[in-house]
Amino acid sequence: MNVIETRPVIRAALPRDLPGLRDVERAAGEAFRAVGMGPIADDEPPSLPELARYQEAGRALVACAGAAPGDAPLAYLLWEPVDGCAHIEQVSVHPDGARRGLGRALIERAQQDSGLPVTLTTFADVPWNAPYYARLGFRVLDDADLTRGLREIRRREAELGLDRWERVCMRRDG
């Protein structure tokens, strides 16, 4: 991919976008190597059937360089309803689209489309994770503030070994 200078288009993901989301995920994951988190960079992206489940439910968003059918995704976001919130399951930005506000735009679109507060789980000390989300208005939740659904998500993450690095749950209300 080349760096794109046009204003990106944020839209619902289409079936044709799904293979490109896997490419975005792989490219975005490489940044974790630089902070000693190689296993995260090596993690396989969501499968096409997993991505299709979000897309078919209307809970997959993409940021593309333009509106033409051939414009590949530069970033994407997956969300699902969890305990009355739009829980961001994944948001990834290809390095060619970095520092252009794509992650922020996708989060804002998910919150607008859902009409719900937004939650996510993320790495506490990775600069483009919890510190970034805090700048977007998210707050770290205390254990007492965790809903049943967020506790279940954290349990699954621990089973996957993500607790090797400190994780937090965050929430942004309107």
Side-chain angles (χ1 to χ4, degrees):
M1 279 188 180
N2 294 323
V3 175
I4 309 298
E5 298 301 327
T6 60
R7 184 178 181 123
V9 172
I10 306 294
R11 62 171 171 75
L14 301 171
R16 71 173 184 244
D17 297 320
L18 302 183
L21 304 187
R22 292 174 52 85
D23 296 336
V24 168
E25 183 70 19
R26 285 186 185 102
E30 285 301 311
F32 284 95
R33 288 191 202 289
V35 295
M37 297 171 73
I40 300 301
D42 294 335
D43 194 35
E44 192 62 20
S47 68
L48 289 175
E50 288 173 291
L51 292 169
R53 182 176 63 81
Y54 286 98
Q55 185 269 323
E56 291 164 1
R59 296 190 308 264
L61 299 170
V62 296
C64 296
D71 287 337
L74 294 169
Y76 77 96
L77 179 146
L78 307 173
W79 70 273
E80 60 187 341
V82 174
D83 299 333
C85 293
H87 182 76
I88 297 173
E89 191 61 35
Q90 184 64 41
V91 60
S92 294
V93 178
H94 191 285
D96 288 348
R99 300 188 137 346
R100 298 184 54 213
L102 299 180
R104 174 190 302 258
L106 287 165
I107 291 167
E108 288 173 0
R109 175 71 181 267
Q111 190 159 24
Q112 175 187 342
D113 287 358
S114 70
L116 299 170
V118 179
T119 59
L120 55 81
T121 59
T122 193
F123 295 109
D125 299 320
V126 175
W128 62 91
N129 279 201
Y132 169 75
Y133 297 121
R135 290 191 303 275
L136 298 184
F138 284 82
R139 64 182 169 83
V140 173
L141 297 175
D142 294 326
D143 284 344
D145 295 326
L146 298 184
T147 64
R148 179 181 297 189
L150 288 175
R151 289 181 192 283
E152 177 60 21
I153 289 167
R154 286 293 296 120
R155 185 193 63 73
R156 285 193 317 261
E157 290 176 347
E159 285 178 358
L160 294 171
L162 294 178
D163 282 2
R164 178 174 168 191
W165 304 277
E166 185 182 356
R167 303 272 299 164
V168 293
C169 292
M170 301 182 81
R171 178 180 170 129
R172 184 171 88 173
D173 291 310

